[in-house]
């Protein structure tokens, strides 16, 4: 056999295996459908697990939606919860189609997913919330984390393992307020853990706050803020610092002197009835009287206005930002400017056994 014939034979064999693999991937839906119609759940699960890695994105949603259903049918709760997290983390709250299933199987799968879409605590649309009136690169007073929750859930928040708050969240938009970290010497990260518990599942969703710190020299001294004729703040009454290991995270200082004294000249008041550089008014208001009818009318109008319902308070307007950036200059060393950027990095949720 010549080399050319050997090469052709190898190519034909490889092409045959490729065609078999393609046809197997194309027929996985019909094969699984037949197995499920016959209630052969374990072979259906084995077939789906071996086929899943070779599927394209168009078929992946149906496969990932069917996987937890098959774990449920095979009584594998731990694997079922992990598969549910995989689906919700990748496709959100989207309803799987599963249109290839037989009607008898489709009803069961539809009921299964309807229950989980109501009871899975999916955290989505995570952003920083900044007041719309705040200017760019303004140092925030607190860090506001806004997100949407897909189901009612009991919650607990921990920052680096330390409990912050807990309670019950209803389905909808929510807000977490965290104090702005005080440590800006070098880049680091903080772990914010959300523990969410519903009737059917408990998960931990970690949100990593990545703080990027960059220090640089400011060459133009004219741009620096100079405080003249103001003595430095002294008389420290107390100081509290929070460390994790050797890293300073938060720091609070209480001073006896709360404000920097500033000398401001306040001119004496103008003579009654006059304004600067204007002649005195001949008709002085404190020499005029008010008629009784005008007074009664004014009182009646005030009572009428008082009985009106107060206007509804407008909710605070916020803008969503995936990142916060600001800069500041230390009063002790004004030649050094610190640029700070804070980013959000959500981590894939993990199921908990309780």
């Amino acid at each position: 056999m010549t080399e050319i014939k050997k090469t052709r034979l190898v190519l034909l064999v490889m092409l045959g295996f490729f065609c078999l693999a393609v046809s197997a991937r194309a027929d996985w839906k019909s094969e699984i459908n037949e197995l499920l119609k016959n209630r052969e759940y374990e072979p259906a699960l084995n077939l789906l697990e071996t086929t899943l890695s070779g599927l394209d994105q168009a078929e992946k949603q149906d496969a990932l939606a069917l996987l937890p259903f098959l774990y449920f049918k095979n009584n594998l709760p731990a694997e079922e919860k992990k598969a549910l997290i995989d689906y919700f983390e990748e496709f959100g709250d989207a309803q799987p189609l599963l249109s290839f299933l037989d009607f008898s199987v489709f009803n069961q799968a539809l009921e299964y997913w309807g229950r989980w879409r109501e009871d899975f605590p999916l955290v989505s649309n995570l952003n920083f919330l900044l007041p719309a009136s705040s200017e760019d690169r303004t140092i925030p007073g607190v860090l506001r984390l806004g997100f949407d929750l897909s189901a009612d859930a009991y919650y607990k928040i921990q920052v680096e393992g330390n409990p912050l708050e807990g309670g019950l969240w209803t389905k909808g938009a929510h807000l977490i307020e965290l104090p702005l970290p005080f440590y800006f010497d070098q880049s680091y990260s903080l772990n914010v853990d959300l523990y969410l518990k519903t009737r059917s599942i408990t998960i931990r969703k970690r949100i990593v706050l990545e703080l990027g710190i960059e220090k640089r020299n400011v060459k133009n001294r004219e741009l620096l803020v100079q405080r003249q004729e103001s003595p430095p703040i002294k008389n420290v009454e107390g100081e509290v610092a929070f460390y994790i290991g050797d890293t300073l995270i938060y720091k609070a200082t209480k001073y006896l002197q709360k404000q920097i004294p500033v000398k401001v000249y306040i001119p004496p008041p103008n003579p009654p009835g006059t304004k600067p550089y204007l002649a005195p008014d001949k008709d002085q208001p404190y020499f005029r009287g008010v008629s009784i009818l005008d007074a009664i009318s004014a009182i009646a109008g005030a009572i009428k206005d008082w009985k009106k319902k107060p206007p509804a308070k407008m909710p605070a307007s916020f803008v969503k930002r995936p990142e916060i950036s600001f800069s500041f200059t230390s009063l002790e060393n004004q030649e050094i400017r610190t640029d700070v950027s804070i980013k959000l990095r959500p981590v894939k949720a993990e199921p908990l056994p309780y």
Side-chain angles (χ1 to χ4, degrees):
M1 183 180 293
T2 63
E3 292 295 331
I4 297 177
K5 291 183 178 180
K6 289 182 180 180
T7 304
R8 287 181 178 177
L9 181 60
V10 172
L11 291 176
L12 288 174
V13 172
M14 293 177 62
L15 182 61
F17 279 115
F18 177 76
C19 293
L20 288 175
V22 171
S23 62
R25 287 201 301 267
D27 295 333
W28 72 271
K29 292 183 178 181
S30 58
E31 292 182 18
I32 288 181
N33 187 38
E34 289 297 325
L35 292 172
L36 292 179
K37 285 169 60 178
N38 298 325
R39 299 184 179 182
E40 299 179 21
Y41 300 121
E42 186 174 355
L45 176 60
N46 295 333
L47 176 60
L48 183 59
E49 287 179 334
T50 56
T51 309
L52 186 60
S53 60
L55 298 179
D56 55 15
Q57 191 65 24
E59 294 183 322
K60 192 175 181 181
Q61 182 176 359
D62 281 337
L64 288 180
L66 193 59
L67 189 60
F69 175 71
L70 291 179
Y71 283 132
F72 169 71
K73 288 295 186 180
N74 285 276
N75 194 23
L76 299 171
E79 290 79 0
E80 177 192 3
K81 292 178 180 179
K82 291 180 181 178
L84 285 167
I85 291 176
D86 290 340
Y87 180 87
F88 281 110
E89 290 278 347
E90 184 164 352
F91 298 103
D93 198 26
Q95 172 72 46
L97 297 178
L98 302 176
S99 56
F100 63 93
L101 294 177
D102 184 74
F103 187 74
S104 59
V105 182
F106 177 77
N107 281 345
Q108 299 179 42
L110 188 64
E111 181 182 356
Y112 173 85
W113 271 106
R115 182 172 67 253
W116 274 111
R117 290 181 71 233
E118 291 181 356
D119 206 36
F120 188 87
L122 175 66
V123 175
S124 61
N125 197 19
L126 178 65
N127 284 284
F128 285 115
L129 296 182
L130 299 178
S133 58
S134 64
E135 299 180 358
D136 292 339
R137 301 188 67 82
T138 301
I139 300 178
V142 294
L143 298 180
R144 297 181 178 90
L145 278 61
F147 60 92
D148 294 330
L149 186 64
S150 63
D152 298 349
Y154 292 99
Y155 75 95
K156 180 176 67 174
I157 305 174
Q158 289 187 351
V159 180
E160 290 293 335
N162 300 295
L164 182 64
E165 64 175 86
L168 175 64
W169 276 336
T170 58
K171 177 181 178 180
H174 291 278
L175 174 69
I176 300 175
E177 289 191 350
L178 302 174
L180 183 67
F182 183 81
Y183 179 75
F184 296 122
D185 288 344
Q186 61 183 4
S187 300
Y188 64 102
S189 61
L190 287 175
N191 295 325
V192 180
D193 291 325
L194 303 182
Y195 293 84
L196 302 170
K197 180 178 179 61
T198 64
R199 294 171 299 177
S200 306
I201 192 172
T202 303
I203 66 171
R204 180 179 68 178
K205 179 68 175 180
R206 171 163 290 183
I207 303 170
V208 181
L209 301 180
E210 297 181 338
L211 288 89
I213 313 297
E214 182 181 357
K215 295 179 179 290
R216 53 181 174 173
N217 291 325
V218 180
K219 297 181 180 180
N220 191 353
R221 297 280 300 178
E222 296 179 357
L223 298 178
L224 300 179
V225 177
Q226 301 291 337
R227 294 179 178 267
Q228 299 179 356
E229 299 181 359
S230 297
I233 299 177
K234 298 180 180 179
N235 303 325
V236 177
E237 182 177 347
E239 189 172 77
V240 177
F242 173 57
Y243 288 84
I244 297 179
D246 296 331
T247 303
L248 176 64
I249 302 300
Y250 302 108
K251 183 179 180 182
T253 305
K254 184 177 181 181
Y255 301 95
L256 294 176
Q257 181 180 316
K258 296 184 179 180
Q259 295 181 350
I260 299 177
V262 179
K263 296 180 180 179
V264 179
Y265 172 74
I266 301 177
N270 294 323
T274 64
K275 294 182 180 180
Y277 314 112
L278 292 179
D281 190 1
K282 295 181 180 180
D283 187 12
Q284 300 293 338
Y286 41 82
F287 289 131
R288 290 202 306 263
V290 179
S291 67
I292 297 177
L293 295 178
D294 291 341
I296 294 175
S297 177
I299 294 173
I303 294 175
K304 186 177 180 180
D305 294 338
W306 178 74
K307 289 183 177 180
K308 292 181 180 179
K309 293 183 179 180
K313 294 183 179 180
M314 296 296 293
S317 179
F318 293 97
V319 293
K320 298 178 181 179
R321 297 283 176 82
E323 179 181 353
I324 295 178
S325 300
F326 57 88
S327 302
F328 66 91
T329 303
S330 173
L331 292 177
E332 289 78 12
N333 187 0
Q334 296 193 20
E335 294 183 355
I336 303 298
R337 188 174 72 179
T338 303
D339 297 329
V340 181
S341 65
I342 307 177
K343 299 180 181 179
L344 291 172
R345 182 171 61 85
V347 181
K348 182 180 177 181
E350 58 178 301
L352 298 177
Y354 51 85

